[in-house]
Amino acid sequence: LAESMGMKVVYWDVIPKLPMGNATQISTLNELLAHSDFVSLHVPNLPSTKNMFGKEQFALMKKGSFFLNASRGNVVVIPDLAAALKSEHLRGTYVDVFPTEPGKNGENLFESELRGCPNTLMTPHVRGSTEEAQAMIGEEVASALLKCINEGSTYGAVNFPEVDMKKDGTMTTHRLLCIHENKPGVMSAINNVFTEAKANICQQFL
């Protein structure tokens, strides 16, 4: 994405890694900070990464650069980031993880030293955490349940085989959803039941 916007991408990691696209690996973190206009942090939550970005690291960044953290909340010293923004050493920041995550609606208001800082954008880390997303998820789940009950469709299921047959427009047929263990002979036994009932099978979806 960054390359498509005309940006030159460099990266640093604790171990050598093959680059993606035209990215170039930098030998040290300090070198990367000194040459980057945008610094995006992507690290796991480990004892070695706790508070890995603080006053020293922000001071090494280029004046007027931007800092993005969408990894883990405890890898950045938030007061030091706020100080770098207020002093205008950093031009702006984007953060969606925090040492203390916001509570749900009706609980304690979200407090952070980043509130009120210039050019600061804060969002939920999980897209489904917003009020709009929760409402859409409720509608989607209800619609999926109705489709499963009325049509036998399991489209979108994450822990169940997906079956999504086209609905018969004549409204003169019936649909049977059969759930069974994957054992030889089961489908033959089911078809025998239909045969004995003299039922016509229009189509099967396995």
Side-chain angles (χ1 to χ4, degrees):
L1 178 61
E3 288 181 351
S4 67
M5 297 171 63
M7 302 174 72
K8 177 183 177 181
V9 179
V10 297
Y11 67 98
W12 173 82
D13 204 323
V14 292
I15 58 175
K17 286 190 174 182
L18 292 174
M20 295 181 61
N22 297 315
T24 302
Q25 185 162 16
I26 300 295
S27 57
T28 67
L29 175 60
N30 290 353
E31 182 183 357
L32 180 143
L33 298 178
H35 291 88
S36 299
D37 296 303
F38 289 82
V39 174
S40 182
L41 193 57
H42 306 272
V43 295
N45 184 18
L46 300 172
S48 59
T49 61
K50 185 176 182 179
N51 296 332
M52 69 173 292
F53 253 78
K55 184 177 181 179
E56 179 182 351
Q57 287 71 35
F58 292 125
L60 291 173
M61 291 178 61
K62 293 173 62 176
K63 182 176 175 59
S65 57
F66 294 81
F67 178 77
L68 298 84
N69 180 28
S71 56
R72 295 294 181 267
N74 62 358
V75 301
V76 176
V77 182
I78 297 297
D80 293 348
L81 174 58
L85 291 164
K86 292 176 181 178
S87 68
E88 298 185 353
H89 179 71
L90 295 184
R91 181 75 60 83
T93 188
Y94 167 76
V95 178
D96 72 357
V97 285
F98 310 91
T100 302
E101 293 293 335
K104 63 182 181 181
N105 290 342
E107 294 184 347
N108 295 332
L109 293 176
F110 174 56
E111 296 292 340
S112 174
E113 292 85 349
L114 293 176
R115 292 184 64 182
C117 288
N119 297 327
T120 297
L121 179 62
M122 296 182 285
T123 67
H125 182 69
V126 180
R127 183 180 61 163
S129 295
T130 63
E131 292 185 19
E132 296 84 356
Q134 289 294 309
M136 294 178 65
I137 289 172
E139 294 176 2
E140 183 177 347
V141 170
S143 175
L145 285 173
L146 284 173
K147 196 169 184 180
C148 180
I149 294 171
N150 296 330
E151 303 177 20
S153 170
T154 59
Y155 177 76
V158 296
N159 58 354
F160 197 82
E162 281 198 6
V163 177
D164 190 25
M165 292 177 62
K166 185 177 179 181
K167 191 173 181 180
D168 180 15
T170 65
M171 303 299 290
T172 59
T173 61
H174 299 279
R175 179 170 294 179
L176 175 67
L177 174 65
C178 180
I179 303 171
H180 60 85
E181 293 185 11
N182 187 19
K183 291 184 177 180
V186 172
M187 289 305 303
S188 177
I190 294 174
N191 288 336
N192 286 337
V193 173
F194 288 131
T195 300
E196 293 174 1
K198 298 182 179 181
N200 180 42
I201 300 177
C202 297
Q203 58 177 319
Q204 288 181 320
F205 191 96
L206 305 179

